[in-house]
């Protein structure tokens, strides 16, 4: 029920014959030198699969096959640190048992599918270091078990025809969230006061965006906050509330345009 060959120097392509192992529940091929594409029909035969990992194969490329929708028992799906391209399949929304979805460090394009909001068991969603654009789906607010949301180093916030997008107020429903990393995007608008409801938040990383307005007083409600970065958001104005300074135990980094008694200014 398990096939694990990882941290080796395996070369060549993924053999189509793997699909004959239809009872597999675990497949680890990560940290190798596998090349080529994932066979299109491979996923459709893995209806018992729970844990699938091919991460860290730098020359594994192509689009992510839409046949992944047949792996309805899947809990862990790691395709990060490869060279996958194309859009994020909307069919991911059918894998409602997913708890960990790692697609970071690829060359994925397009927008984040609204269908991701159906993955209500998700604890980890890593989509950073791609070329994703468009708005942040409000449906992500349905992922109430989410603890880690990494979207940094994309082009999120900029839609077609230069229509801009901001942080959805629905993110205030992600009350289990510990880390929110959305730095190095093109996110506009103000920081929603609803973010203050995320009292388990430890790291709020929003630098290198296009945020404007003031830093909400409500962020002072995040009693677990250890690190917050807001620098390179040139349209943020005013001051960082003292209530935030009283909570953060490690570091606050802001632009020098903000008044702050406890921040590092860059």
């Amino acid at each position: 029920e398990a096939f694990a060959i990882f941290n080796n120097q395996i070369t060549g392509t993924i053999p189509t014959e793997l699909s004959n192992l239809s009872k597999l529940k675990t497949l680890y091929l990560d940290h190798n030198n596998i090349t080529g594409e994932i066979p299109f029909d491979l996923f459709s035969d893995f209806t018992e699969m729970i844990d699938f990992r091919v991460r860290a194969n730098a020359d594994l490329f192509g689009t992510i096959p839409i046949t992944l929708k047949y792996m309805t028992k899947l809990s862990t799906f790691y395709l990060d640190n490869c060279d996958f391209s194309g859009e994020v399949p909307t069919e991911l929304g059918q894998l409602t048992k997913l708890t960990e979805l790692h697609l970071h460090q690829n060359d994925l394009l397009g927008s984040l599918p609204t269908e991701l909001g159906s993955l209500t068991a998700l604890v980890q969603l890593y989509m950073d270091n791609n070329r994703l654009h468009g708005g942040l789906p409000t449906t992500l607010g349905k992922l109430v078990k989410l603890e880690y949301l990494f979207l940094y180093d994309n082009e999120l916030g900029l839609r077609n025809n230069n229509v801009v997008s901001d942080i959805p107020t629905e993110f205030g429903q992600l009350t289990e969230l510990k880390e929110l990393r959305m730095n190095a995007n093109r996110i506009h608008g103000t920081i929603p006061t609803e973010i203050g409801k995320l009292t388990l938040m430890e790291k709020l990383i929003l630098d290198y965006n296009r945020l404007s307005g003031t830093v909400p007083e409500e962020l002072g409600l995040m009693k677990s906050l250890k690190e917050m970065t807001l620098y390179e958001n040139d349209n943020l104005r005013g001051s960082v509330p003292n209530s935030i300074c009283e909570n953060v135990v490690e570091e606050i980094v802001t632009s020098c345009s903000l008044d702050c008694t406890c921040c590092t200014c860059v």
Side-chain angles (χ1 to χ4, degrees):
E1 295 184 353
F3 187 85
I5 306 178
F6 55 92
N7 286 319
N8 286 288
Q9 297 182 7
I10 296 173
T11 59
T13 59
I14 297 175
T16 57
E17 290 80 5
L18 269 181
S19 62
N20 294 329
L21 305 177
S22 58
K23 300 299 183 183
L24 270 183
K25 293 183 178 179
T26 301
L27 177 61
Y28 289 179
L29 298 175
D30 46 306
H31 293 87
N32 284 297
N33 295 313
I34 296 172
T35 59
E37 302 184 46
I38 295 178
F40 183 80
D41 292 328
L42 185 66
F43 291 152
S44 59
D45 293 308
F46 285 161
T47 55
E48 300 298 315
M49 187 66 65
I50 295 174
D51 191 347
F52 184 95
R53 307 184 189 209
V54 296
R55 66 191 311 182
N57 286 282
D59 294 317
L60 191 60
F61 63 87
T63 58
I64 300 173
I66 61 173
T67 49
L68 57 83
K69 65 184 179 182
Y70 295 109
M71 297 191 293
T72 55
K73 297 181 181 180
L74 200 63
S75 175
T76 306
F77 195 36
Y78 284 16
L79 298 184
D80 56 278
N81 287 275
C82 295
D83 194 27
F84 292 110
S85 57
E87 298 189 353
V88 179
T90 59
E91 287 79 6
L92 274 172
Q94 300 180 37
L95 306 182
T96 56
K97 294 185 178 181
L98 270 181
T99 60
E100 300 177 17
L101 176 58
H102 289 216
L103 299 181
H104 54 285
Q105 290 280 359
N106 280 293
D107 195 30
L108 297 173
L109 302 168
S111 57
L112 289 170
T114 59
E115 288 82 359
L116 292 178
S118 299
L119 305 180
T120 53
L122 266 187
V123 176
Q124 300 177 7
L125 177 56
Y126 289 16
M127 306 288 288
D128 54 274
N129 284 282
N130 281 290
R131 289 197 286 159
L132 300 170
H133 61 80
L136 297 167
T138 59
T139 54
L140 294 182
K142 298 178 181 179
L143 307 182
V144 295
K145 294 183 180 180
L146 202 61
E147 295 182 8
Y148 299 93
L149 178 55
F150 287 18
L151 300 175
Y152 62 89
D153 279 332
N154 281 292
E155 298 178 6
L156 294 167
L158 187 65
R159 296 176 178 169
N160 294 334
N161 301 318
N162 292 324
V163 177
V164 297
S165 177
D166 52 12
I167 301 173
T169 59
E170 287 82 0
F171 277 24
Q173 300 169 21
L174 305 177
T175 53
E176 297 296 315
L177 205 59
K178 295 179 180 178
E179 291 192 26
L180 176 59
R181 296 177 179 263
M182 299 196 297
N183 50 301
N185 278 289
R186 300 183 183 183
I187 300 168
H188 289 66
T190 59
I191 301 172
T193 59
E194 288 81 1
I195 296 296
K197 298 177 181 178
L198 309 182
T199 56
L200 298 181
M201 182 82 75
E202 297 177 359
K203 296 186 179 183
L204 178 61
I205 312 299
L206 299 175
D207 52 272
Y208 282 96
N209 278 292
R210 300 178 184 180
L211 297 170
S212 58
T214 59
V215 180
E217 183 77 37
E218 287 81 359
L219 297 192
L221 299 173
M222 296 191 293
K223 302 298 184 182
S224 301
L225 195 62
K226 297 178 180 178
E227 180 181 352
M228 181 173 71
T229 62
L230 299 174
Y231 59 93
E232 294 297 332
N233 285 284
D234 293 338
N235 291 319
L236 279 178
R237 293 290 182 265
S239 61
V240 174
N242 288 331
S243 57
I244 297 176
C245 291
E246 293 169 1
N247 292 332
V248 178
V249 297
E250 291 182 4
E251 188 174 33
I252 303 176
V253 185
T254 67
S255 298
C256 295
S257 58
L258 287 174
D259 294 327
C260 182
T261 58
C262 64
C263 302
T264 301
C265 163
V266 296

